[in-house]
Amino acid sequence: MDLPTRLRRLAGVGSRFLVVGALSTLIEVGVFNLLVFVWGWDVVAAKIVASLVALVNAYIGNREWTFRHRDRRGRVAEVVLFLATNAVCTALGAVLVWVGVEGVEAMLGREPGAVAVNLVNLTSIVIVVLLRFVLYHGIVFRASPKP
């Protein structure tokens, strides 16, 4: 396959991944804000729970739309890889939120407000989305081997 064709395919997969990710991000941010600012949860616990809620949308959207053309290894193996990948990504996101909120608090000398906390959360989401795409593309929803 020539380079322009490969780039077009990657752009198509990438754009579908971003649409699914955008919806998952809206779910994650909504749940995160509900848990932190309505129910008073700790930001790290809220980040983990919000990520897990958004994970359901992410699996269905990516399996059935983004990577539907990819090899289907067994559903159980695929789900295990998806969950393992997302456990790592969720932990990384929680660490990034913790470090970011602590850093902002140290800079301000006070507890950060909603805008700062959400900026930290969104920054963590961007970093984790890039990692997820690489892992989904290369490991979880792998391409079928050439005959």
Side-chain angles (χ1 to χ4, degrees), residues 75-111:
R75 183 69 75 175
V76 172
E78 187 177 88
V79 168
V80 168
L81 282 171
F82 183 83
L83 292 175
T85 296
N86 282 286
V88 169
C89 290
T90 299
L92 175 62
V95 168
L96 291 171
V97 165
W98 175 72
V99 168
V101 169
E102 291 293 319
V104 170
E105 186 172 335
M107 285 190 308
L108 296 175
R110 63 175 171 76
E111 193 172 301

Side-chain angles (χ1 to χ4, degrees), residues 93-145:
V95 168
L96 291 171
V97 165
W98 175 72
V99 168
V101 169
E102 291 293 319
V104 170
E105 186 172 335
M107 285 190 308
L108 296 175
R110 63 175 171 76
E111 193 172 301
V115 172
V117 169
N118 275 290
L119 285 174
V120 168
N121 187 36
L122 289 172
T123 301
S124 77
I125 289 170
V126 169
I127 293 166
V128 170
V129 161
L130 295 172
L131 178 61
R132 276 190 174 118
F133 181 73
V134 169
L135 295 174
Y136 288 1
H137 192 268
I139 297 172
V140 178
F141 304 111
R142 69 175 188 219
S144 299

